[in-house]
Amino acid sequence: GYLINCGATRRSVIDGRVWLPDGNFISAGTSKSLTVPGLVPTLSTVRSFPLENKNLRRKFCYVVRVYRGARYLIRTTYYYGGVNGLDFDSPPVFDQIVDGTFWSVVNTTEDYGKGLSSYYEGVFEAKGNTMSVCVASNTYTVSDPFISSLEMLILGDSIYNTTKFDSHALHLVARHSFGHNGSIIRYPDDQFDRYWQPYEENVSVTASKKIPAVSGFWNIPPSKVFETALSTAQLESMELRWPPFSLPNSTYYIALYFADNSDSMSSNSRVIDMHINDVRYYSNLVLSSEGAAVFATRWPLGGLTKITLSPAANSNGSPLINAGEIFDVLRLGGRTHTRDVIALEELKNSLRNPPLDWNGDPCLPRDYTWTGVKCSEGERTRVISLNLTGMGLLGSLSPSIANLTALNGIWLSNNSLSGVIPDLSSLKLLEILHLEDNQLTGEIPSSLGEMKSLRE
């Protein structure tokens, strides 16, 4: 995978791992250094994206080469550091996007007020040879969006494999190691560098050195989360307010992890029933030293969540729990037709100064189409018009424009395009063509006179 230190100008080694500067992954934005003392290296620089009126609903994308079909953990980290100046003491609010899918709103205000950075984590499958991770201004954005670091790490094939990643992705809501009160558990304890936050409530904590072999868990949690557990001192129910905040109404992937590591209990004598918001989640789970994971792929939740663990009728031991993960299940936003994406990329490469937001998916999400690009509605997303009038474009007009076969209008007048007019005879739907006021040379193709739809 990749560890990208946004805004950095040289590679660095942190905790034995190489962080790359971001210049090879993005062509827009400005590198800035923060003056806040004591920051870790990955927070001391940011890439900032100047907010102008014309930037509203524009996205700026990191484009990374990936393995098609691989499952990636994507983590974005944000630490504001007052980078937008004295007039903006609070961090901006903006959107983040993966390929054509709206991922989440980025709002780091609360964490920043506590002197903390904020991170967002998701699991997405690579649909092509590249993936784009974008920040984008929305209607609430009042100053320049920014990003501190971007991590894209390949996950094992078994991890979260009950999710249909051809149509969905996962957005992390919470991941906790119950009973753990130290620092975040992460790499190298977690080989995939997931973050397991400490979590301790007013219930007893048990500790043990008898750790189950995590290879039996398809999500492969780190063995360290099984060193401690939340439990009750008596043979009674245990309630957890988890996650410890209110949830929007949605469907969630929930995975809970258990291992009975107590030295005093005989085997198979600790049996529990589980309820989430008083709805039965699982019954008669036998806890042993081998461990167990219980998961739900699509569980509806909203508001505050209560998890109740109760001793089953045949249990001789009180309930316990070691760790848990919960993700919002995101429906993917789709992708622009591959032929059109390739054609636009070749057109972009033939221009010396293409629009800054010509990265990521050209048409999706719908609110964030590329500048000058209009797309069709419906499941099969095609590019239907191209309007870059008066944008001061330099370069030539790539013949690949003829592969945008759904085009009905092309407006490229009042630029500084040079070279010849390519053969456009494959554009059977083209009605309007404007190429005037450029520096084009050569003959006007005779094929233009034979295009039956062309009227202007």
Side-chain angles (χ1 to χ4, degrees):
Y2 297 86
L3 306 175
I4 300 172
N5 188 359
C6 303
T9 55
R10 60 175 62 93
R11 70 195 290 271
S12 56
V13 179
I14 304 170
D15 295 332
R17 296 193 299 165
V18 176
W19 286 80
L20 302 174
D22 65 351
N24 290 334
F25 304 99
I26 194 163
S27 55
T30 304
S31 173
K32 293 186 178 181
S33 297
L34 304 186
T35 57
V36 180
L39 291 178
V40 296
T42 53
L43 301 183
S44 61
T45 60
V46 301
R47 182 162 292 271
S48 178
F49 303 96
L51 180 69
E52 303 168 6
N53 289 334
K54 61 183 179 181
N55 280 0
L56 191 62
R57 294 291 185 187
R58 284 177 77 183
K59 62 188 178 189
F60 301 96
C61 301
Y62 285 83
V63 179
V64 177
R65 294 200 63 82
V66 292
Y67 295 100
R68 183 196 301 268
R71 200 170 303 150
Y72 282 81
L73 180 149
I74 299 177
R75 182 162 50 236
T76 52
T77 302
Y78 303 91
Y79 182 75
Y80 177 54
V83 71
N84 290 342
L86 297 176
D87 291 338
F88 303 100
D89 57 354
S90 293
V93 176
F94 49 93
D95 293 341
Q96 56 183 359
I97 294 162
V98 174
D99 290 336
T101 300
F102 170 79
W103 178 5
S104 73
V105 173
V106 175
N107 188 346
T108 67
T109 306
E110 183 177 345
D111 283 339
Y112 184 65
K114 300 174 184 176
L116 302 174
S117 60
S118 303
Y119 70 88
Y120 296 80
E121 192 179 297
V123 181
F124 295 82
E125 185 177 274
K127 305 301 182 186
N129 296 325
T130 63
M131 288 180 80
S132 60
V133 181
C134 319
V135 297
S137 55
N138 59 33
T139 53
Y140 299 101
T141 308
V142 295
S143 65
D144 301 351
F146 69 97
I147 183 171
S148 301
S149 69
L150 168 62
E151 299 162 76
M152 297 181 65
L153 305 168
I154 296 179
L155 295 175
D157 291 339
S158 70
I159 302 213
Y160 315 124
N161 64 1
T162 56
T163 300
K164 296 179 179 178
F165 284 101
D166 57 340
S167 56
H168 292 84
L170 298 176
H171 167 54
L172 180 68
V173 174
R175 181 188 291 118
H176 283 93
S177 176
F178 297 119
H180 176 68
N181 62 0
S183 57
I184 291 175
I185 297 172
R186 51 168 303 180
Y187 182 85
D189 291 304
D190 187 312
Q191 60 180 302
F192 303 110
D193 199 17
R194 293 166 296 184
Y195 288 2
W196 300 78
Q197 297 275 2
Y199 182 98
E200 193 172 4
E201 278 203 346
N202 293 324
V203 288
S204 64
V205 176
T206 62
S208 173
K209 294 182 180 178
K210 290 168 55 181
I211 308 302
V214 297
S215 58
F217 294 84
W218 58 95
N219 284 348
I220 316 180
S223 59
K224 194 174 183 67
V225 304
F226 295 103
E227 292 179 2
T228 57
L230 285 185
S231 184
T232 56
Q234 306 296 325
L235 193 64
E236 61 188 9
S237 296
M238 177 172 65
E239 284 190 1
L240 293 178
R241 298 291 176 177
W242 183 83
F245 41 78
S246 183
L247 296 175
N249 290 326
S250 189
T251 54
Y252 294 87
Y253 174 101
I254 306 168
L256 304 176
Y257 304 98
F258 308 86
D260 186 359
N261 300 325
S262 59
D263 299 320
S264 59
M265 299 294 295
S266 60
S267 63
N268 299 339
S269 60
R270 196 187 300 266
V271 187
I272 62 172
D273 295 331
M274 285 173 269
H275 291 76
I276 296 182
N277 291 341
D278 300 321
V279 177
R280 186 177 298 277
Y281 184 70
Y282 201 89
S283 297
N284 290 313
L285 177 68
V286 178
L287 302 187
S288 68
S289 59
E290 280 77 37
V294 179
F295 73 98
T297 56
R298 301 291 297 275
W299 192 275
L301 288 174
L304 293 172
T305 305
K306 177 182 70 173
I307 296 178
T308 306
L309 307 176
S310 306
N314 57 336
S315 179
N316 295 324
S318 58
L320 62 75
I321 185 170
N322 297 88
E325 298 179 275
I326 181 168
F327 294 85
D328 192 359
V329 181
L330 301 178
R331 176 169 287 280
L332 296 183
R335 304 178 75 210
T336 302
H337 193 280
T338 302
R339 177 191 181 108
D340 289 0
V341 174
I342 294 172
L344 282 176
E345 286 289 347
E346 292 178 356
L347 176 60
K348 171 187 169 182
N349 292 335
S350 72
L351 300 173
R352 298 217 297 270
N353 57 338
L356 291 176
D357 64 344
W358 273 36
N359 283 300
D361 192 284
C363 295
L364 299 166
R366 297 284 178 188
D367 288 338
Y368 290 106
T369 55
W370 287 5
T371 294
V373 173
K374 185 176 180 181
C375 304
S376 65
E377 301 288 338
E379 293 200 5
R380 187 178 170 89
T381 304
R382 300 294 309 272
V383 176
I384 58 175
S385 75
L386 199 58
N387 188 344
L388 296 169
T389 302
M391 294 198 65
L393 297 178
L394 298 164
S396 61
L397 201 51
S398 169
S400 68
I401 195 171
N403 293 330
L404 296 167
T405 52
L407 282 178
N408 58 40
I410 297 175
W411 291 265
L412 294 173
S413 59
N414 194 24
N415 285 294
S416 298
L417 298 173
S418 57
V420 300
I421 300 173
D423 179 7
L424 302 176
S425 58
S426 59
L427 303 183
K428 306 299 184 184
L429 303 179
L430 192 67
E431 299 178 3
I432 299 172
L433 175 65
H434 281 270
L435 299 176
E436 72 274 19
D437 297 322
N438 278 287
Q439 297 167 13
L440 299 167
T441 55
E443 294 184 349
I444 295 176
S446 60
S447 58
L448 288 180
E450 300 164 7
M451 296 172 66
K452 294 181 180 179
S453 295
L454 192 61
R455 57 180 174 79
E456 182 176 315

Short mmCIF file of all heavy atoms in Angstrom, two decimals, residues 276-333:
data_model
loop_
_atom_site.label_atom_id
_atom_site.label_comp_id
_atom_site.label_asym_id
_atom_site.label_seq_id
_atom_site.Cartn_x
_atom_site.Cartn_y
_atom_site.Cartn_z
N ILE A 276 -29.06 -6.01 21.11
CA ILE A 276 -28.73 -4.64 20.73
C ILE A 276 -30.01 -3.83 20.73
O ILE A 276 -30.96 -4.15 19.99
CB ILE A 276 -28.03 -4.59 19.35
CG1 ILE A 276 -26.69 -5.33 19.42
CG2 ILE A 276 -27.82 -3.15 18.91
CD1 ILE A 276 -25.91 -5.31 18.12
N ASN A 277 -30.05 -2.82 21.58
CA ASN A 277 -31.28 -2.03 21.77
C ASN A 277 -32.48 -2.95 22.01
O ASN A 277 -33.56 -2.78 21.44
CB ASN A 277 -31.54 -1.11 20.57
CG ASN A 277 -30.51 0.00 20.48
OD1 ASN A 277 -29.83 0.32 21.45
ND2 ASN A 277 -30.37 0.58 19.30
N ASP A 278 -32.26 -3.94 22.87
CA ASP A 278 -33.29 -4.89 23.31
C ASP A 278 -33.79 -5.82 22.20
O ASP A 278 -34.79 -6.51 22.36
CB ASP A 278 -34.48 -4.16 23.95
CG ASP A 278 -34.06 -3.35 25.17
OD1 ASP A 278 -33.21 -3.85 25.93
OD2 ASP A 278 -34.56 -2.21 25.34
N VAL A 279 -33.10 -5.81 21.05
CA VAL A 279 -33.41 -6.76 19.98
C VAL A 279 -32.37 -7.88 20.04
O VAL A 279 -31.17 -7.62 20.11
CB VAL A 279 -33.38 -6.07 18.60
CG1 VAL A 279 -33.62 -7.09 17.48
CG2 VAL A 279 -34.40 -4.95 18.54
N ARG A 280 -32.85 -9.13 19.98
CA ARG A 280 -31.93 -10.26 20.10
C ARG A 280 -30.91 -10.25 18.96
O ARG A 280 -31.25 -10.21 17.79
CB ARG A 280 -32.72 -11.57 20.09
CG ARG A 280 -31.84 -12.81 20.36
CD ARG A 280 -32.71 -14.07 20.41
NE ARG A 280 -33.67 -14.02 21.48
CZ ARG A 280 -33.42 -14.35 22.75
NH1 ARG A 280 -32.21 -14.74 23.09
NH2 ARG A 280 -34.36 -14.27 23.66
N TYR A 281 -29.63 -10.30 19.36
CA TYR A 281 -28.53 -10.29 18.40
C TYR A 281 -27.93 -11.68 18.24
O TYR A 281 -27.64 -12.12 17.13
CB TYR A 281 -27.47 -9.30 18.88
CG TYR A 281 -26.29 -9.08 17.96
CD1 TYR A 281 -26.45 -8.39 16.76
CD2 TYR A 281 -25.01 -9.51 18.30
CE1 TYR A 281 -25.37 -8.15 15.92
CE2 TYR A 281 -23.92 -9.28 17.47
CZ TYR A 281 -24.12 -8.61 16.29
OH TYR A 281 -23.04 -8.38 15.45
N TYR A 282 -27.75 -12.39 19.34
CA TYR A 282 -27.22 -13.74 19.30
C TYR A 282 -27.51 -14.42 20.62
O TYR A 282 -27.44 -13.78 21.68
CB TYR A 282 -25.70 -13.74 19.04
CG TYR A 282 -25.16 -15.03 18.49
CD1 TYR A 282 -25.12 -15.27 17.12
CD2 TYR A 282 -24.70 -16.03 19.35
CE1 TYR A 282 -24.63 -16.46 16.61
CE2 TYR A 282 -24.20 -17.22 18.85
CZ TYR A 282 -24.17 -17.44 17.47
OH TYR A 282 -23.68 -18.61 16.97
N SER A 283 -27.82 -15.72 20.57
CA SER A 283 -28.16 -16.47 21.78
C SER A 283 -27.20 -17.62 21.98
O SER A 283 -26.70 -18.22 21.02
CB SER A 283 -29.60 -17.02 21.68
OG SER A 283 -30.53 -15.97 21.60
N ASN A 284 -26.96 -17.90 23.27
CA ASN A 284 -26.20 -19.09 23.68
C ASN A 284 -24.82 -19.17 23.01
O ASN A 284 -24.44 -20.20 22.45
CB ASN A 284 -26.99 -20.37 23.37
CG ASN A 284 -28.20 -20.52 24.29
OD1 ASN A 284 -28.08 -20.35 25.51
ND2 ASN A 284 -29.35 -20.81 23.70
N LEU A 285 -24.10 -18.06 23.07
CA LEU A 285 -22.73 -18.07 22.57
C LEU A 285 -21.82 -18.64 23.64
O LEU A 285 -21.71 -18.09 24.74
CB LEU A 285 -22.28 -16.66 22.20
CG LEU A 285 -20.83 -16.56 21.71
CD1 LEU A 285 -20.66 -17.25 20.37
CD2 LEU A 285 -20.38 -15.10 21.63
N VAL A 286 -21.19 -19.75 23.34
CA VAL A 286 -20.27 -20.39 24.28
C VAL A 286 -18.90 -19.73 24.13
O VAL A 286 -18.31 -19.72 23.04
CB VAL A 286 -20.16 -21.90 24.01
CG1 VAL A 286 -19.16 -22.53 24.96
CG2 VAL A 286 -21.52 -22.55 24.15
N LEU A 287 -18.40 -19.15 25.23
CA LEU A 287 -17.11 -18.48 25.20
C LEU A 287 -16.04 -19.45 25.69
O LEU A 287 -16.17 -20.04 26.76
CB LEU A 287 -17.12 -17.23 26.08
CG LEU A 287 -18.16 -16.17 25.73
CD1 LEU A 287 -17.94 -14.92 26.57
CD2 LEU A 287 -18.08 -15.81 24.25
N SER A 288 -14.98 -19.59 24.91
CA SER A 288 -13.88 -20.46 25.27
C SER A 288 -12.58 -19.74 25.01
O SER A 288 -12.55 -18.61 24.49
CB SER A 288 -13.94 -21.75 24.44
OG SER A 288 -13.67 -21.46 23.08
N SER A 289 -11.49 -20.39 25.33
CA SER A 289 -10.18 -19.76 25.12
C SER A 289 -9.82 -19.67 23.64
O SER A 289 -8.93 -18.93 23.25
CB SER A 289 -9.10 -20.54 25.86
OG SER A 289 -9.06 -21.88 25.41
N GLU A 290 -10.54 -20.43 22.78
CA GLU A 290 -10.29 -20.33 21.34
C GLU A 290 -10.83 -19.03 20.76
O GLU A 290 -10.40 -18.60 19.70
CB GLU A 290 -10.92 -21.51 20.59
CG GLU A 290 -10.12 -22.79 20.65
CD GLU A 290 -10.27 -23.49 22.00
OE1 GLU A 290 -11.39 -23.45 22.55
OE2 GLU A 290 -9.27 -24.02 22.49
N GLY A 291 -11.79 -18.42 21.45
CA GLY A 291 -12.35 -17.16 20.99
C GLY A 291 -13.49 -17.33 20.02
O GLY A 291 -13.71 -18.40 19.44
N ALA A 292 -14.26 -16.27 19.85
CA ALA A 292 -15.39 -16.27 18.93
C ALA A 292 -15.63 -14.85 18.44
O ALA A 292 -15.35 -13.88 19.14
CB ALA A 292 -16.65 -16.81 19.62
N ALA A 293 -16.16 -14.77 17.22
CA ALA A 293 -16.58 -13.48 16.66
C ALA A 293 -18.03 -13.61 16.20
O ALA A 293 -18.41 -14.61 15.61
CB ALA A 293 -15.70 -13.08 15.49
N VAL A 294 -18.83 -12.61 16.52
CA VAL A 294 -20.22 -12.59 16.10
C VAL A 294 -20.43 -11.31 15.29
O VAL A 294 -20.05 -10.23 15.73
CB VAL A 294 -21.18 -12.63 17.31
CG1 VAL A 294 -22.62 -12.57 16.85
CG2 VAL A 294 -20.93 -13.88 18.13
N PHE A 295 -21.02 -11.45 14.11
CA PHE A 295 -21.14 -10.26 13.26
C PHE A 295 -22.51 -10.21 12.60
O PHE A 295 -23.21 -11.21 12.47
CB PHE A 295 -20.04 -10.26 12.19
CG PHE A 295 -20.25 -11.27 11.10
CD1 PHE A 295 -20.81 -10.89 9.89
CD2 PHE A 295 -19.89 -12.59 11.27
CE1 PHE A 295 -21.00 -11.82 8.88
CE2 PHE A 295 -20.08 -13.53 10.27
CZ PHE A 295 -20.64 -13.13 9.06
N ALA A 296 -22.88 -8.99 12.21
CA ALA A 296 -24.08 -8.75 11.40
C ALA A 296 -23.66 -7.88 10.23
O ALA A 296 -22.95 -6.89 10.40
CB ALA A 296 -25.16 -8.06 12.22
N THR A 297 -24.10 -8.25 9.03
CA THR A 297 -23.67 -7.50 7.84
C THR A 297 -24.51 -6.26 7.60
O THR A 297 -24.03 -5.26 7.08
CB THR A 297 -23.72 -8.39 6.60
OG1 THR A 297 -25.05 -8.90 6.46
CG2 THR A 297 -22.74 -9.54 6.73
N ARG A 298 -25.81 -6.29 7.95
CA ARG A 298 -26.70 -5.15 7.69
C ARG A 298 -27.67 -5.04 8.87
O ARG A 298 -28.72 -5.65 8.87
CB ARG A 298 -27.49 -5.34 6.38
CG ARG A 298 -26.63 -5.51 5.14
CD ARG A 298 -25.90 -4.25 4.74
NE ARG A 298 -26.79 -3.18 4.38
CZ ARG A 298 -27.31 -3.01 3.17
NH1 ARG A 298 -27.02 -3.85 2.21
NH2 ARG A 298 -28.11 -2.00 2.93
N TRP A 299 -27.30 -4.26 9.89
CA TRP A 299 -28.12 -4.14 11.09
C TRP A 299 -28.61 -2.69 11.18
O TRP A 299 -27.80 -1.77 11.24
CB TRP A 299 -27.30 -4.50 12.33
CG TRP A 299 -28.13 -4.68 13.57
CD1 TRP A 299 -28.54 -3.68 14.42
CD2 TRP A 299 -28.66 -5.89 14.09
NE1 TRP A 299 -29.28 -4.22 15.44
CE2 TRP A 299 -29.38 -5.57 15.27
CE3 TRP A 299 -28.59 -7.22 13.68
CZ2 TRP A 299 -30.02 -6.54 16.05
CZ3 TRP A 299 -29.23 -8.18 14.45
CH2 TRP A 299 -29.94 -7.84 15.62
N PRO A 300 -29.93 -2.47 11.20
CA PRO A 300 -30.43 -1.09 11.25
C PRO A 300 -30.25 -0.48 12.64
O PRO A 300 -30.59 -1.11 13.66
CB PRO A 300 -31.92 -1.25 10.90
CG PRO A 300 -32.25 -2.66 11.30
CD PRO A 300 -31.01 -3.47 11.11
N LEU A 301 -29.69 0.73 12.68
CA LEU A 301 -29.49 1.45 13.94
C LEU A 301 -29.76 2.93 13.72
O LEU A 301 -29.65 3.44 12.62
CB LEU A 301 -28.06 1.28 14.46
CG LEU A 301 -27.64 -0.08 15.03
CD1 LEU A 301 -26.15 -0.07 15.35
CD2 LEU A 301 -28.46 -0.46 16.24
N GLY A 302 -30.04 3.62 14.82
CA GLY A 302 -30.20 5.07 14.80
C GLY A 302 -30.23 5.57 16.23
O GLY A 302 -30.83 4.93 17.11
N GLY A 303 -29.57 6.70 16.51
CA GLY A 303 -29.55 7.24 17.87
C GLY A 303 -28.51 6.54 18.72
O GLY A 303 -27.53 5.97 18.24
N LEU A 304 -28.72 6.55 20.05
CA LEU A 304 -27.80 5.90 20.98
C LEU A 304 -28.02 4.39 20.96
O LEU A 304 -29.15 3.92 20.79
CB LEU A 304 -28.01 6.44 22.39
CG LEU A 304 -27.62 7.91 22.59
CD1 LEU A 304 -28.04 8.39 23.98
CD2 LEU A 304 -26.12 8.11 22.40
N THR A 305 -26.95 3.66 21.12
CA THR A 305 -27.00 2.20 21.01
C THR A 305 -26.64 1.56 22.34
O THR A 305 -25.66 1.96 22.99
CB THR A 305 -26.03 1.72 19.92
OG1 THR A 305 -26.33 2.38 18.70
CG2 THR A 305 -26.14 0.22 19.71
N LYS A 306 -27.41 0.58 22.72
CA LYS A 306 -27.17 -0.16 23.97
C LYS A 306 -26.93 -1.63 23.63
O LYS A 306 -27.76 -2.26 22.98
CB LYS A 306 -28.37 -0.03 24.92
CG LYS A 306 -28.22 -0.82 26.22
CD LYS A 306 -29.46 -0.68 27.10
CE LYS A 306 -30.66 -1.40 26.49
NZ LYS A 306 -31.83 -1.41 27.41
N ILE A 307 -25.80 -2.14 24.05
CA ILE A 307 -25.50 -3.57 23.89
C ILE A 307 -25.62 -4.24 25.25
O ILE A 307 -24.98 -3.80 26.23
CB ILE A 307 -24.10 -3.78 23.30
CG1 ILE A 307 -24.03 -3.21 21.88
CG2 ILE A 307 -23.71 -5.26 23.30
CD1 ILE A 307 -22.69 -3.33 21.23
N THR A 308 -26.45 -5.26 25.33
CA THR A 308 -26.67 -5.98 26.59
C THR A 308 -26.14 -7.40 26.44
O THR A 308 -26.52 -8.12 25.52
CB THR A 308 -28.17 -6.03 26.95
OG1 THR A 308 -28.70 -4.70 26.94
CG2 THR A 308 -28.37 -6.64 28.32
N LEU A 309 -25.23 -7.75 27.33
CA LEU A 309 -24.67 -9.10 27.39
C LEU A 309 -25.16 -9.75 28.67
O LEU A 309 -24.92 -9.23 29.77
CB LEU A 309 -23.14 -9.06 27.36
CG LEU A 309 -22.50 -8.27 26.22
CD1 LEU A 309 -20.98 -8.22 26.39
CD2 LEU A 309 -22.85 -8.88 24.88
N SER A 310 -25.84 -10.88 28.55
CA SER A 310 -26.46 -11.52 29.71
C SER A 310 -25.97 -12.96 29.82
O SER A 310 -25.77 -13.64 28.79
CB SER A 310 -27.98 -11.52 29.58
OG SER A 310 -28.48 -10.22 29.37
N PRO A 311 -25.79 -13.46 31.05
CA PRO A 311 -25.48 -14.88 31.18
C PRO A 311 -26.67 -15.72 30.74
O PRO A 311 -27.82 -15.44 31.09
CB PRO A 311 -25.19 -15.05 32.67
CG PRO A 311 -25.84 -13.87 33.34
CD PRO A 311 -25.87 -12.77 32.34
N ALA A 312 -26.42 -16.71 29.90
CA ALA A 312 -27.49 -17.61 29.48
C ALA A 312 -27.91 -18.49 30.66
O ALA A 312 -27.22 -18.57 31.68
CB ALA A 312 -27.01 -18.46 28.31
N ALA A 313 -29.03 -19.15 30.48
CA ALA A 313 -29.58 -19.95 31.58
C ALA A 313 -28.63 -21.03 32.04
O ALA A 313 -28.61 -21.40 33.23
CB ALA A 313 -30.91 -20.56 31.14
N ASN A 314 -27.81 -21.53 31.14
CA ASN A 314 -26.90 -22.62 31.48
C ASN A 314 -25.48 -22.15 31.74
O ASN A 314 -24.54 -22.94 31.70
CB ASN A 314 -26.90 -23.67 30.36
CG ASN A 314 -26.51 -23.07 29.01
OD1 ASN A 314 -26.66 -21.87 28.81
ND2 ASN A 314 -26.01 -23.90 28.10
N SER A 315 -25.29 -20.84 32.00
CA SER A 315 -23.95 -20.30 32.18
C SER A 315 -23.54 -20.30 33.65
O SER A 315 -24.34 -20.01 34.54
CB SER A 315 -23.89 -18.87 31.64
OG SER A 315 -22.60 -18.32 31.84
N ASN A 316 -22.27 -20.61 33.88
CA ASN A 316 -21.70 -20.54 35.22
C ASN A 316 -20.80 -19.32 35.39
O ASN A 316 -20.20 -19.15 36.46
CB ASN A 316 -20.89 -21.80 35.51
CG ASN A 316 -21.76 -23.04 35.54
OD1 ASN A 316 -22.90 -22.98 36.00
ND2 ASN A 316 -21.22 -24.15 35.04
N GLY A 317 -20.70 -18.51 34.36
CA GLY A 317 -19.81 -17.36 34.43
C GLY A 317 -20.49 -16.09 33.95
O GLY A 317 -21.46 -16.12 33.19
N SER A 318 -19.98 -14.97 34.39
CA SER A 318 -20.53 -13.68 33.98
C SER A 318 -20.11 -13.37 32.55
O SER A 318 -19.12 -13.91 32.05
CB SER A 318 -20.04 -12.59 34.93
OG SER A 318 -18.62 -12.54 34.94
N PRO A 319 -20.83 -12.47 31.87
CA PRO A 319 -20.47 -12.13 30.49
C PRO A 319 -19.18 -11.33 30.41
O PRO A 319 -18.77 -10.67 31.38
CB PRO A 319 -21.67 -11.32 30.00
CG PRO A 319 -22.34 -10.82 31.23
CD PRO A 319 -22.05 -11.80 32.32
N LEU A 320 -18.55 -11.40 29.25
CA LEU A 320 -17.38 -10.56 28.98
C LEU A 320 -17.34 -10.25 27.49
O LEU A 320 -17.98 -10.90 26.68
CB LEU A 320 -16.09 -11.22 29.44
CG LEU A 320 -15.62 -12.54 28.85
CD1 LEU A 320 -15.06 -12.39 27.44
CD2 LEU A 320 -14.56 -13.16 29.73
N ILE A 321 -16.55 -9.23 27.14
CA ILE A 321 -16.35 -8.85 25.73
C ILE A 321 -14.96 -8.23 25.61
O ILE A 321 -14.50 -7.50 26.50
CB ILE A 321 -17.45 -7.88 25.26
CG1 ILE A 321 -17.30 -7.60 23.75
CG2 ILE A 321 -17.46 -6.58 26.06
CD1 ILE A 321 -18.48 -6.84 23.15
N ASN A 322 -14.29 -8.54 24.51
CA ASN A 322 -12.93 -8.05 24.31
C ASN A 322 -12.84 -6.85 23.37
O ASN A 322 -12.07 -5.91 23.62
CB ASN A 322 -12.04 -9.16 23.74
CG ASN A 322 -11.89 -10.32 24.69
OD1 ASN A 322 -12.71 -11.23 24.66
ND2 ASN A 322 -10.88 -10.28 25.54
N ALA A 323 -13.57 -6.88 22.25
CA ALA A 323 -13.39 -5.83 21.25
C ALA A 323 -14.61 -5.77 20.35
O ALA A 323 -15.43 -6.70 20.33
CB ALA A 323 -12.13 -6.07 20.43
N GLY A 324 -14.74 -4.68 19.62
CA GLY A 324 -15.85 -4.53 18.69
C GLY A 324 -15.52 -3.54 17.59
O GLY A 324 -14.71 -2.62 17.77
N GLU A 325 -16.15 -3.76 16.44
CA GLU A 325 -16.05 -2.85 15.31
C GLU A 325 -17.45 -2.59 14.78
O GLU A 325 -18.28 -3.49 14.75
CB GLU A 325 -15.22 -3.46 14.17
CG GLU A 325 -13.80 -3.78 14.49
CD GLU A 325 -13.10 -4.41 13.28
OE1 GLU A 325 -13.22 -5.63 13.10
OE2 GLU A 325 -12.45 -3.65 12.52
N ILE A 326 -17.68 -1.36 14.35
CA ILE A 326 -18.95 -1.04 13.70
C ILE A 326 -18.68 -0.10 12.53
O ILE A 326 -17.94 0.88 12.66
CB ILE A 326 -19.98 -0.45 14.70
CG1 ILE A 326 -21.30 -0.14 13.98
CG2 ILE A 326 -19.44 0.76 15.42
CD1 ILE A 326 -22.44 0.17 14.94
N PHE A 327 -19.27 -0.44 11.37
CA PHE A 327 -19.11 0.33 10.15
C PHE A 327 -20.48 0.71 9.60
O PHE A 327 -21.42 -0.08 9.67
CB PHE A 327 -18.42 -0.49 9.06
CG PHE A 327 -17.00 -0.87 9.32
CD1 PHE A 327 -16.69 -2.00 10.06
CD2 PHE A 327 -15.96 -0.12 8.79
CE1 PHE A 327 -15.38 -2.38 10.27
CE2 PHE A 327 -14.63 -0.51 9.00
CZ PHE A 327 -14.34 -1.64 9.74
N ASP A 328 -20.57 1.92 9.04
CA ASP A 328 -21.72 2.28 8.23
C ASP A 328 -21.54 1.63 6.86
O ASP A 328 -20.46 1.69 6.27
CB ASP A 328 -21.81 3.80 8.09
CG ASP A 328 -23.13 4.28 7.53
OD1 ASP A 328 -23.99 3.43 7.22
OD2 ASP A 328 -23.30 5.50 7.38
N VAL A 329 -22.59 0.98 6.37
CA VAL A 329 -22.51 0.32 5.07
C VAL A 329 -22.92 1.32 3.99
O VAL A 329 -24.06 1.78 3.94
CB VAL A 329 -23.42 -0.92 5.03
CG1 VAL A 329 -23.32 -1.62 3.68
CG2 VAL A 329 -23.06 -1.89 6.15
N LEU A 330 -21.97 1.68 3.14
CA LEU A 330 -22.19 2.69 2.09
C LEU A 330 -22.53 2.01 0.77
O LEU A 330 -21.87 1.03 0.38
CB LEU A 330 -20.93 3.53 1.87
CG LEU A 330 -20.35 4.31 3.04
CD1 LEU A 330 -19.08 5.03 2.59
CD2 LEU A 330 -21.36 5.31 3.57
N ARG A 331 -23.52 2.53 0.08
CA ARG A 331 -23.78 2.06 -1.28
C ARG A 331 -22.87 2.84 -2.23
O ARG A 331 -22.76 4.06 -2.16
CB ARG A 331 -25.25 2.28 -1.67
CG ARG A 331 -25.55 1.90 -3.12
CD ARG A 331 -27.03 1.86 -3.40
NE ARG A 331 -27.67 0.71 -2.78
CZ ARG A 331 -27.64 -0.52 -3.30
NH1 ARG A 331 -26.99 -0.76 -4.42
NH2 ARG A 331 -28.26 -1.50 -2.69
N LEU A 332 -22.18 2.12 -3.11
CA LEU A 332 -21.26 2.77 -4.04
C LEU A 332 -22.03 3.65 -5.02
O LEU A 332 -23.15 3.35 -5.41
CB LEU A 332 -20.46 1.72 -4.82
CG LEU A 332 -19.51 0.84 -4.00
CD1 LEU A 332 -18.74 -0.10 -4.92
CD2 LEU A 332 -18.55 1.68 -3.17
N GLY A 333 -21.38 4.74 -5.41
CA GLY A 333 -22.03 5.71 -6.28
C GLY A 333 -21.95 5.40 -7.76
O GLY A 333 -22.50 6.12 -8.58
#
